[in-house]
């Protein structure tokens, strides 16, 4: 049975039994403590914890998930995968244990020709929480399982919680006995013979504080009992398809077959190659799904994970012996398998492939640079007599050049070295903690959302900002450092929740409104507005006057000029996005945006820089749309209706069933958007593109001013042109030629100055060669040249001095100069000096160390530099001392 059919049957089965089919949430997680969704129940957490009232009593979904903790184990075992799918059925205070068991057992054991999975009942077991006698009784009655096929397990195995105080409960798993070849009889710990594939969580309790899987207290029962189940789609697929592991199922194995064909290596012949094949297949599929959900390669958070996956796949293909670009061959194969369940991948494949192929091209370039850094690190390590590459160096290779740690370990082993992996992991941990702290600060300001949840229980904040800029309201509550507070006084900065508000909370790329909240003897300046919990709008305010208390009647007023300019910028973003797609084509899809009054920037999928003519064309299309005075409207509809209508969604955003579609000029621009907008495109005002740049592989960024800011920008440009015209005595249209002529004349003059400076430097060679210092028989010249001599001229001087000295004695020439504040040094030796076991490379490293840098080269000529010009004198003395030590030692 194909994986897509297993998926379809699951959703159909539960839809037929009154469950609402809910689309998968995007892979990027809205939780500041997570990068990606890792469980099927992720998008239903607000319902389980009571933050929101569920719109349905029963739901079912197939959630896309990415697990990042085990990336380095992928391929080494048959169980670890990065991307996976979790089938789930959920009850919010509706049915409970008996129906959950009945539904699961029926679907699992029902014959395939009747719409079930057709598992043989005789090899199925159930595990239960050891105190849950109710569940045991249900399994006996509903499934007819005897006592010896019901396993009681402890809290660590069969009791579920979110890891924090809140809902929890016992669980029950369906296991299959795969036979004696997979392990000993009734060995529940190994996990290979008795394989769990469906977990039923009976969410009935409330847990307290505590750590681990069993180190907390059960405080009582929930007022409403819920069901949360998870059936691992890939696990069921390999059980039903008769293969041994997830890598060999229909959605993954074709990539292995293609990789085998490309590399000429056979899957199943050698363990090391098998690991590489599995890494390739898993990571290519994971990258396809991540890019499909709007993640782009980068150096932080989700982008960092994606980049790592792509580069591990590329490197694994190279280790399999395939040196050519591989993603162009493998990604379409993965698409062919995944499109059966995710048809949207087909329409978006142009953008997905563009991002992936650009990352491969970039990595192929950095492999060369990274390998050079690696070679230098290996040489320095060996020179110091050590046998272990520093963790900091491994981290640099990983962080700067994208080298996976296993690549560094493998390359080091080829050189006979170990790697300080503990030091590397420590640095990685520090980086992850910084990233998590940044994410928490950006998303909520506080990791603990209990204060927000407490105020959310008083009701949803009504947003009135689409209709008005001023609203009479009531203070529902206030928070100080994330905790609910009874009052706040003048001079404090606190967070305020109102019954209703016209203030727009930052989202969708649009920053928050500014303005005032006024009351009787009360004046609050609004500094920021956020939605830390769905349904709750929180204002960060400075109390300018008065004492703030819950229950106060206030008037919330948005700054009118601020909102007008913000609307211009947000509508301008939509206009520029539509212009991009008109000029470049449908693959130029937005992958992120930011707009504030008068300014916008938009990130979009594109692999190459836009030339001046293309930027001008985009700007012209945008301004023509503004001039046409296109109507701007917003409509509400279901998410499927919006997609059918052609509305574009922002990648990575989670949308409700009812979404808001903003339309500019009919089908020319239709996007899902909750932001504030102008009424007609002419109100955007002028659109002036100010720049375009790269922000990562396959992603470009365009920036623009709109409205009055655009006019101010053009005014500054006009003033600059006028000033240049006056100074250069040329008309504006003559300026390009005039400036080009001046630049060429300057280049010629600088070249002549450089020639004269080099000649002046070389004139000193004869005098220096006449007066060497005798250092235990070695003729040593240590000379600091005038400042400003570049490395090339310094090298010429050293060689010229060496060439002028007699060859009947060993000669060492060391010349040094400081150029642009950075010292450089060149050392040259003659043949006789090398016969005396002196090496220019060794001596230049000694000199460079005094300069706060490093150096290297051949035995006869070497070059180095540093950052500490004050060490110049010490560097030349250190070389002289080293010569004496070497000769006399």
């Amino acid at each position: 049975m194909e994986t897509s059919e297993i998926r379809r049957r699951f959703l159909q089965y539960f839809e037929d039994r009154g469950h609402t089919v809910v689309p998968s949430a995007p892979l990027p997680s809205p939780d500041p403590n997570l990068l990606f969704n890792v469980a099927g129940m992720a998008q239903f957490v607000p319902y389980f914890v009571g933050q929101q009232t569920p719109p349905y009593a029963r739901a079912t979904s197939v959630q896309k998930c990415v697990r990042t903790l085990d990336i380095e184990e992928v391929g080494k075992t048959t169980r670890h995968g990065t991307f996976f799918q979790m089938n789930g059925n959920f009850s919010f205070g509706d049915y409970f244990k008996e129906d959950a068991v009945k539904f699961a057992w029926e679907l699992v054991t029902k014959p395939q020709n009747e719409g079930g999975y057709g598992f043989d009942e005789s090899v199925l077991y159930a595990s239960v929480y050891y105190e849950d006698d109710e569940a045991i009784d249900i399994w006996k009655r509903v499934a007819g399982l005897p006592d010896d096929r019901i396993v009681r397990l402890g809290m660590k195995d069969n009791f579920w919680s979110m890891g924090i105080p809140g809902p929890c409960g016992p669980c029950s798993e369906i296991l299959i006995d795969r036979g004696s070849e997979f392990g000993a009889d009734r060995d529940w710990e190994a996990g290979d013979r008795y394989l769990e594939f469906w977990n039923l969580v009976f969410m009935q309790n409330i847990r307290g504080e505590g750590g681990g899987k069993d180190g907390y207290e059960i405080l009582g029962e929930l007022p409403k009992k819920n069901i949360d189940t998870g059936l691992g789609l890939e696990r069921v697929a390999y059980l039903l398809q008769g293969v041994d592991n997830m890598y060999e199922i229909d959605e993954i194995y074709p990539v292995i077959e293609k990789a085998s064909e490309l590399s000429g290596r056979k899957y199943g012949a050698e363990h090391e190659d098998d690991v590489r094949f599995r890494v390739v297949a898993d990571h290519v599929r994971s990258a396809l799904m991540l890019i499909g959900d709007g993640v782009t390669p980068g150096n932080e958070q989700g982008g960092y994970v994606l980049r790592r996956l792509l580069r591990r796949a590329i490197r694994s293909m190279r280790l399999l012996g395939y040196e050519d670009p591989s993603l162009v061959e493998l990604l379409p194969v993965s698409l062919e398998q995944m499109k059966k369940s995710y048809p949207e991948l087909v329409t978006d494949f142009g953008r997905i492939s563009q991002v992936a192929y650009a990352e491969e091209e970039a990595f192929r370039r950095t492999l060369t640079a990274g390998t050079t850094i690696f070679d230098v690190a290996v040489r320095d390590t060996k020179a110091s007599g050590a046998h272990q590459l520093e963790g900091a160096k491994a981290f640099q290779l990983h962080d700067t050049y994208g080298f996976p740690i296993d690549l560094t370990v493998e390359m080091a082993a080829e050189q006979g070295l170990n790697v300080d992996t503990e030091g590397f992991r420590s640095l990685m941990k520090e980086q992850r903690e910084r990233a998590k702290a940044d994410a928490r600060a950006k998303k909520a300001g506080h990791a603990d959302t209990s204060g927000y949840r407490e105020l959310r229980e008083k009701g949803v904040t009504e947003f009135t900002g689409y209709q008005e800029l001023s609203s009479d309201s009531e203070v529902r509550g206030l928070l100080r450092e994330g905790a609910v507070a009874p009052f706040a006084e003048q001079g404090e900065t606190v967070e305020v929740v109102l019954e209703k508000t016209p203030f727009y909370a930052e989202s969708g790329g649009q920053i928050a409104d500014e303005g005032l909240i006024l009351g009787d003897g009360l004046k609050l300046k609004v500094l920021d507005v956020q939605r830390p919990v769905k349904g709750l709008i929180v204002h960060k305010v400075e109390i300018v006057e008065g004492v703030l208390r819950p229950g106060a009647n206030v008037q919330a007023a948005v700054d009118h000029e601020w909102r007008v300019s913000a609307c211009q910028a947000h509508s301008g973003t939509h206009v520029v996005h539509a212009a991009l797609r008109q000029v470049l084509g449908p693959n130029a899809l937005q992958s992120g945006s930011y707009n504030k009054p008068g300014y916008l920037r938009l990130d979009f999928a594109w692999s190459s820089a836009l030339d001046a003519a293309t930027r001008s064309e985009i700007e012209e299309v945008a301004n023509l749309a503004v001039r046409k005075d296109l109507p701007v409207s917003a409509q509400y509809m279901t998410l499927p209706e919006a997609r059918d209508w052609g509305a574009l969604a922002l990648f990575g955003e989670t949308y409700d069933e009812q979404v808001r579609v903003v339309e500019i000029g009919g089908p020319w621009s239709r996007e899902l958007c909750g932001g504030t907008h102008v009424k007609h495109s002419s109100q955007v005002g002028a659109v002036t593109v100010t720049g375009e740049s790269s922000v990562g592989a396959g992603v470009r960024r365009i920036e623009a001013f709109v409205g009055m800011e655009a006019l101010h920008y053009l005014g500054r440009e006009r003033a600059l042109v006028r000033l240049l015209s006056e100074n250069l005595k040329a008309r504006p249209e003559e300026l390009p030629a005039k400036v080009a002529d001046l630049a060429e004349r300057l280049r010629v003059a600088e070249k002549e100055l450089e020639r004269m400076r080099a000649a002046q430097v070389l004139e000193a060679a004869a005098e220096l060669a006449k007066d060497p210092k005798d250092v235990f028989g070695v003729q040593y010249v240590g000379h600091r040249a005038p400042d400003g001599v570049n490395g090339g001229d310094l090298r010429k001087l050293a060689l010229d001095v060496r060439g002028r000295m007699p060859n009947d004695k060993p000669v060492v020439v060391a010349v040094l100069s400081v150029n642009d504040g950075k010292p450089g040094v060149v050392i040259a030796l003659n043949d006789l000096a090398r016969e005396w076991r002196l090496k220019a490379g060794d001596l230049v490293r000694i000199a460079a160390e005094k300069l706060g840098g490093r150096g290297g080269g051949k035995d006869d000529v070497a070059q180095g530099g540093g950052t500490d010009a004050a060490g110049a004198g010490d560097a030349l003395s250190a070389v002289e001392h080293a010569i004496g030590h070497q000769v006399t030692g």
Side-chain angles (χ1 to χ4, degrees), residues 399-477:
D399 195 49
T400 306
Y401 297 99
F403 271 44
I405 184 62
D406 55 347
L407 167 59
T408 303
V409 169
E410 184 171 348
M411 291 173 65
E414 292 169 359
Q415 298 290 330
L417 298 176
N418 296 318
V419 177
D420 177 14
T421 53
E422 285 190 15
F424 168 82
R425 294 185 198 288
S426 175
L427 291 167
M428 284 293 295
K429 182 180 178 182
E430 289 177 16
Q431 186 184 65
R432 281 195 297 269
E433 288 173 351
R434 285 194 300 270
K436 284 184 178 181
D438 289 345
R440 284 194 294 269
K442 289 174 184 175
K443 296 227 178 183
H446 303 282
D448 182 7
T449 61
S450 58
Y452 301 121
R453 293 201 302 270
E454 182 179 335
L455 293 180
R456 173 61 182 78
E457 289 172 1
K458 296 181 179 180
V460 173
T461 307
E462 179 187 353
F463 176 61
T464 61
Y466 294 139
Q467 300 82 31
E468 59 188 20
L469 295 183
S470 178
S471 300
D472 292 331
S473 189
E474 179 184 313
V475 176
R476 276 222 176 112

Side-chain angles (χ1 to χ4, degrees), residues 1-14 60-62 87-88 103-121 124 174 176 197-198 231-233 235-237 239-241:
M1 188 182 297
E2 288 189 339
T3 305
S4 60
E5 176 61 15
I6 298 170
R7 180 184 191 274
R8 188 200 66 78
R9 290 190 182 204
F10 187 92
L11 294 175
Q12 187 65 59
Y13 176 87
F14 283 102
T60 185
S61 70
V62 178
N87 296 10
F103 290 149
W105 187 256
E106 182 181 28
L107 178 57
V108 165
T109 59
K110 196 175 188 179
Q112 292 188 8
N113 60 7
E114 297 178 17
Y117 293 148
F119 280 98
D120 180 358
E121 294 185 23
L124 297 180
I174 301 178
I176 185 169
F197 62 91
W198 199 340
L231 175 140
L233 182 53
R235 190 165 287 190
V236 173
L239 290 172
L240 290 181
Q241 292 173 16

Side-chain angles (χ1 to χ4, degrees), residues 549-708:
R549 289 186 173 87
N553 293 318
V554 294
Q555 182 187 56
V558 176
D559 183 299
H560 178 267
E561 288 302 317
W562 176 277
R563 173 64 74 82
V564 168
S565 295
C567 289
Q568 288 179 313
H570 203 150
S571 297
T573 304
H574 286 223
V575 167
V576 171
H577 187 201
L580 276 168
R581 289 167 56 76
Q582 181 175 322
V583 173
L584 301 178
N587 287 341
L589 277 171
Q590 176 181 333
S591 59
S593 68
Y594 172 81
N595 52 77
K596 64 181 182 178
Y599 167 85
L600 68 90
R601 72 172 186 233
L602 188 149
D603 297 343
F604 61 100
W606 204 251
S607 58
S608 58
L610 305 183
D611 58 32
T614 303
R615 293 198 301 270
S616 294
E617 186 178 359
I618 292 166
E619 185 178 80
E620 183 175 359
V621 169
N623 281 295
L624 283 173
V626 169
R627 193 178 72 177
K628 288 178 181 177
D629 196 29
L630 301 172
V632 180
S633 62
Q635 301 181 53
Y636 289 88
M637 60 189 71
T638 67
L639 186 57
E641 286 172 342
R643 285 176 172 152
D644 291 343
W645 207 36
L648 301 174
L650 182 65
F651 294 118
E653 288 289 329
T654 301
Y655 296 99
D656 296 328
E657 275 299 298
Q658 284 287 319
V659 295
R660 182 172 182 260
V661 179
V662 173
E663 183 181 71
I664 302 177
W668 187 70
S669 172
R670 283 179 180 149
E671 297 191 33
L672 274 62
C673 180
T676 61
H677 290 271
V678 299
K679 301 298 183 185
H680 290 84
S681 64
S682 61
Q683 294 172 335
V684 170
V687 177
T688 301
V689 174
T690 61
E692 187 268 342
S693 58
S694 170
V695 289
V699 182
R700 307 292 299 180
R701 171 173 291 171
I702 194 165
E703 297 178 86
F705 287 124
V706 297
M708 290 302 297

Side-chain angles (χ1 to χ4, degrees), residues 517-523 545-548 552-555:
I517 298 175
L518 304 172
D520 186 14
L522 190 66
K523 182 178 180 181
E545 296 176 11
V547 177
L548 176 65
N553 293 318
V554 294
Q555 182 187 56

Side-chain angles (χ1 to χ4, degrees), residues 816 823-827 840-856 862-869 871-872 874-876 878-879:
L816 186 151
V825 60
V826 176
I827 295 181
D842 293 342
L843 294 175
V844 87
R845 275 190 285 275
I846 292 168
E849 186 178 336
K850 297 295 183 181
L851 303 173
R854 59 195 310 172
Q863 193 162 347
T867 58
D868 183 10
D874 291 340
L876 295 174
V879 172

